[in-house]
Amino acid sequence: MRKVRTINQDNYILSLTKFIERIEFLDFSDSNSTYLFRGQDVKGSLLPSIARSDPKEDTTDQEKEQLHHLKLIGSNFLEGNSENDVDLLVLAQHFGLKTRLLDWSSNPLIALWFACSGRKEGDSYVYALNSDAFLDKNIYSKDPFKLGKTSVLQPRLNNERIIAQHGWFTLHRYAKSNSKFVALEKNTQIKKYITELTISQKSREDILKSLDRYGINSRTLFPDLEGLCKYLNWKDESA
């Protein structure tokens, strides 16, 4: 018999108002608590782009080689952003290179925009992560390919997109004991700190329009000509 998946109605989002109300129910009682948010159009699979096609593949050598080529070929683009491999990974991630970083935002509305602006069909998802226990404040002094555990990374604010998107990252390790990258929702240490919110397919366009009224759109999140053109296309299509 086919198993029917049930949905937690408290976490089923039909409007921007419902989303904000649900976010406010998260445990913000500790003023020092840092919640991060990620929006995506697939359920689970909280893996970095380098690991999605085959989590069992150890891509360490491949990633190091990519950074080596980035330094050689793209040196005129790097300027002061190449102090170490962590900085390089952050920069490369934002411009499309597959890395072991997974994007998050400290602003839940930005995560909601990313959840709603993807594919046209199906529900989408926002994940909230209570990150305090996993924040590594000394990450920039470490080799990102030799971490003992998956960690939260607060990036330097030296990139316009990071600033606009209130960007943070999880830096994932290849677990040699399991011979794979482990998705966050399956990570025994992290999964209990994750909350999943389901964004209703039928509400996505209305939510995007609501977010636009509050200044959350491709023009503000991608502060360049490409972001503006995408915004103008969306405004024309949704008119």
Side-chain angles (χ1 to χ4, degrees), residues 201-225:
Q201 172 188 351
K202 63 183 180 182
S203 303
R204 290 169 63 175
E205 192 60 35
D206 287 341
I207 289 174
L208 285 174
K209 291 178 181 178
S210 295
L211 288 171
D212 183 43
R213 283 194 288 272
Y214 293 97
I216 306 294
N217 52 54
S218 62
R219 180 174 65 89
T220 57
L221 299 183
F222 298 91
D224 52 30
L225 186 58

Side-chain angles (χ1 to χ4, degrees), residues 6-129:
T6 60
I7 297 177
N8 181 341
Q9 293 301 317
D10 289 337
N11 291 346
Y12 192 66
I13 306 301
L14 295 168
S15 67
L16 176 60
T17 300
K18 174 68 180 293
F19 179 78
I20 293 174
E21 289 176 350
R22 187 65 188 93
I23 292 298
E24 291 304 308
F25 274 106
L26 294 176
D27 185 12
F28 291 114
S29 58
D30 182 355
S31 60
N32 294 320
S33 180
T34 303
Y35 269 83
L36 302 179
F37 304 88
R38 174 174 173 79
Q40 56 185 49
D41 55 15
V42 296
K43 180 180 175 65
S45 192
L46 294 175
L47 284 165
S49 56
I50 197 70
R52 287 174 197 156
S53 60
D54 183 5
K56 294 183 178 181
E57 181 182 359
D58 186 350
T59 59
T60 300
D61 290 340
Q62 172 191 339
E63 294 175 78
K64 289 181 177 180
E65 185 71 9
Q66 288 282 57
L67 290 188
H68 173 70
H69 287 305
L70 184 63
K71 292 175 185 178
L72 289 178
I73 303 172
S75 59
N76 60 317
F77 299 113
L78 300 180
E79 298 179 356
N81 296 319
S82 57
E83 295 182 21
N84 55 50
D85 283 349
V86 176
D87 284 306
L88 274 176
L89 283 173
V90 170
L91 183 65
Q93 171 77 4
H94 264 293
F95 286 97
L97 190 69
K98 291 183 178 181
T99 75
R100 60 181 59 202
L101 295 178
L102 185 65
D103 294 275
W104 295 79
S105 175
S106 59
N107 186 328
L109 298 184
I110 291 174
L112 181 61
W113 183 87
F114 277 103
C116 293
S117 62
R119 66 185 182 187
K120 298 296 183 181
E121 297 182 359
D123 293 340
S124 53
Y125 304 87
V126 170
Y127 292 90
L129 169 65

Side-chain angles (χ1 to χ4, degrees), residues 125-184:
Y125 304 87
V126 170
Y127 292 90
L129 169 65
N130 187 343
S131 67
D132 290 344
F134 314 104
L135 176 61
D136 189 340
K137 295 182 179 180
N138 299 312
I139 194 74
Y140 287 96
S141 64
K142 298 179 180 179
D143 184 336
F145 302 108
K146 294 182 179 179
L147 294 181
K149 63 179 182 179
T150 294
S151 302
V152 169
L153 158 64
Q154 182 178 15
R156 307 183 206 267
L157 297 180
N158 56 8
N159 179 302
E160 288 187 357
R161 289 189 178 186
I162 291 175
I163 295 171
Q165 297 172 17
H166 297 239
W168 287 61
F169 301 92
T170 42
L171 176 54
H172 295 239
R173 75 174 181 122
Y174 180 82
K176 293 187 179 298
S177 59
N178 296 323
S179 298
K180 64 180 178 179
F181 287 94
V182 179
L184 294 184

